[in-house]
Amino acid sequence: MSEKHDIDATEVAIHDGKETGNALNLLTAHERELLELEARLNAELDAQILANPNKMPKAVWFILPNEFGERFCYYGVQPNLNKYFRMITMMEAVDAKVYSTAFTMLAYFFPLVGAALSDSFLGKWWTIISFSVVYLIGMIMVTIFAIPNLLGPMGTVSPLS
């Protein structure tokens, strides 16, 4: 098996000051086959889109509302989180700021975890669907627990026992 080279396909390999050809010549037969398959699939998809440019892919009807919902939820919850921690859970201002900043940090970090899970284990659609369901459950819980006096009088948190 030939040695695998990690270079961009448009780069030119230079060995001992001489050009040895472009990067495509350095790929294994299997890698060339995969590139040809990818090009063929992309050409087919492009042809389908060009044949009916007004038709949206089916996935758009799931992904767009999901993204809008995610953005509205994040930007609706995040600005109020610090005040919630201070007024409802009676945290000190510093602790409330730490927790609300941790929420923001995790909101930007977890897409990396989702990408790793998607690429390695679940696949694109199972990752989107499973994390969307978890997100929806969380937002339903936030909505329910935002009902005034559900957990007790304002300024107190009801014990779990």
Side-chain angles (χ1 to χ4, degrees), residues 51-109:
N52 193 355
N54 296 326
K55 184 178 179 186
M56 298 288 265
K58 292 176 186 174
V60 168
W61 301 111
F62 176 75
I63 292 174
L64 280 179
N66 188 40
E67 285 298 315
F68 281 125
E70 180 183 332
R71 298 293 176 242
F72 284 129
C73 290
Y74 173 77
Y75 290 110
V77 168
Q78 194 271 340
N80 299 311
L81 202 54
N82 196 341
K83 185 183 283 188
Y84 171 82
F85 285 141
R86 285 186 288 119
M87 295 178 70
I88 304 301
T89 65
M90 305 306 267
M91 281 186 185
E92 297 293 324
V94 172
D95 292 335
K97 186 65 177 174
V98 167
Y99 281 103
S100 62
T101 304
F103 172 80
T104 301
M105 185 269 308
L106 291 172
Y108 284 104
F109 173 74

Side-chain angles (χ1 to χ4, degrees), residues 29-159:
H30 180 67
E31 290 169 331
R32 277 193 220 106
E33 183 181 320
L34 290 175
L35 281 174
E36 290 169 4
L37 175 63
E38 180 183 13
R40 206 168 49 249
L41 290 173
N42 285 337
E44 289 174 13
L45 290 173
D46 289 345
Q48 288 175 358
I49 291 171
L50 290 174
N52 193 355
N54 296 326
K55 184 178 179 186
M56 298 288 265
K58 292 176 186 174
V60 168
W61 301 111
F62 176 75
I63 292 174
L64 280 179
N66 188 40
E67 285 298 315
F68 281 125
E70 180 183 332
R71 298 293 176 242
F72 284 129
C73 290
Y74 173 77
Y75 290 110
V77 168
Q78 194 271 340
N80 299 311
L81 202 54
N82 196 341
K83 185 183 283 188
Y84 171 82
F85 285 141
R86 285 186 288 119
M87 295 178 70
I88 304 301
T89 65
M90 305 306 267
M91 281 186 185
E92 297 293 324
V94 172
D95 292 335
K97 186 65 177 174
V98 167
Y99 281 103
S100 62
T101 304
F103 172 80
T104 301
M105 185 269 308
L106 291 172
Y108 284 104
F109 173 74
F110 273 109
L112 299 175
V113 174
L117 286 173
S118 174
D119 291 344
S120 301
F121 303 107
L122 298 176
K124 176 173 55 176
W125 296 112
W126 282 112
T127 303
I128 291 171
I129 290 169
S130 60
F131 280 106
S132 295
V133 168
V134 170
Y135 201 87
L136 181 63
I137 291 169
M139 290 315 301
I140 289 170
M141 290 174 59
V142 167
T143 303
I144 290 171
F145 291 124
I147 297 171
N149 298 321
L150 181 68
L151 297 176
M154 291 290 284
T156 63
V157 177
S158 300

